[in-house]
Amino acid sequence: MCFDADALPPEPPGGAEPVTGSRITLTAADGATFGAYEADAPASSGAGVVVMPDVRGLFGFYENLAERFAGVGIDAVAIDYFGRTAEEPPHARGDDFDFRSHVARTTPESVAADVGAAVDRLRSRGRVTSVFTVGFCFGGSYSFLAASRTDLAGVIGFYGGMRQRVEGGPTPISEAATYKAPILGLFGGADESIPPEKVEEFRSALESAGAEHTLHTYPGAPHSFFDRSFDDYAAECADAWTRVREFVATRSGPRPA
């Protein structure tokens, strides 16, 4: 468990315009449908982001986070991973939802197909020219793996794990040679699930592959530090927001005409 289900994402430094998003359904290339949450910036900057949640899939924290991104000018679509296996849509799931059994049935291919559908959604309405992914924990791992796509301007991972998510499957380290998109990785120095040597192994793999990357570790910060209930890490959250926004801004194309 990354953080409490009623946690809220931190506010960006300087605040964000209030935005109310909406629940949508997307269809992946394999025909699967899944729930998502869409939030449009009041004035489009030309940048869009696919928000990739942790192992619990799409719930309130990530809906709110999509609205925060929109509030700073970045259109957002937050996705759910369980459209192929769960009967109830994300907003209808109770606290007893057995997300772990559904995580076990995801695959790199299914996650990639869902990301592709969200990328297509962001591009489809003429508001976005540059698309990024941003993922957390489980989603952070898959956000890093998305760097092999040719249709992304960059990928961002918060405390994305370095282990296989399926037996014999890819890891962010093993796939470094395939990466085409720039990478921003943000880690907690006190995160026991991602020891410093794994972050350094990731860095070494990216350097060997010649992949553009920035990896930053916050000393003493735990896993899932990007959570407004962690008042002790407000400075880290503010810095992370700044790094993410600068990463997006410097790699985004012009606004649509």
Side-chain angles (χ1 to χ4, degrees), residues 20-242:
T20 300
S22 59
R23 293 169 179 144
I24 61 174
T25 300
L26 297 178
T27 303
D30 62 1
T33 59
F34 62 96
Y37 193 82
E38 180 175 70
D40 290 343
S44 175
S45 66
V49 65
V50 179
V51 179
M52 303 175 67
D54 62 57
V55 292
R56 287 168 292 181
L58 181 58
F59 65 102
F61 181 93
Y62 295 104
E63 293 181 348
N64 287 327
L65 184 59
E67 293 172 344
R68 300 288 194 280
F69 272 107
V72 296
I74 304 169
D75 286 11
V77 173
I79 64 173
D80 183 65
Y81 307 112
F82 308 138
R84 294 166 180 78
T85 58
E87 293 183 1
E88 63 272 65
H91 63 274
R93 297 170 191 162
D95 293 340
D96 60 348
F97 176 66
D98 182 17
F99 61 87
R100 294 195 184 280
S101 68
H102 294 279
V103 169
R105 296 160 69 185
T106 62
T107 67
E109 294 77 18
S110 69
V111 174
D114 295 347
V115 170
V119 171
D120 290 346
R121 174 67 180 184
L122 284 164
R123 292 188 181 280
S124 67
R125 295 178 299 143
R127 293 172 51 89
V128 169
T129 57
S130 303
V131 180
F132 300 79
T133 59
V134 57
F136 299 79
C137 185
F138 176 88
S141 297
Y142 277 113
S143 183
F144 290 145
L145 290 171
S148 61
R149 301 180 68 100
T150 59
D151 55 358
L152 294 176
V155 305
I156 304 157
F158 279 76
Y159 27 86
M162 297 293 129
R163 64 182 179 83
Q164 294 175 340
R165 293 294 176 176
V166 297
E167 184 176 357
T171 72
I173 294 169
S174 72
E175 301 305 296
T178 70
Y179 294 160
K180 302 172 180 66
I183 293 168
L184 173 63
L186 302 171
F187 300 91
D191 185 346
E192 296 181 358
S193 67
I194 310 172
E197 55 267 26
K198 277 298 180 183
V199 177
E200 290 309 308
E201 188 178 347
F202 186 35
R203 189 191 312 276
S204 179
L206 295 172
E207 289 174 351
S208 296
E212 181 184 345
H213 66 281
T214 299
L215 305 184
H216 182 77
T217 297
Y218 295 98
H223 192 74
S224 295
F225 65 84
F226 195 72
D227 171 356
R228 198 161 67 186
S229 69
F230 288 147
D231 293 337
D232 290 343
Y233 304 102
E236 288 82 354
C237 291
D239 183 77
W241 260 121
T242 298

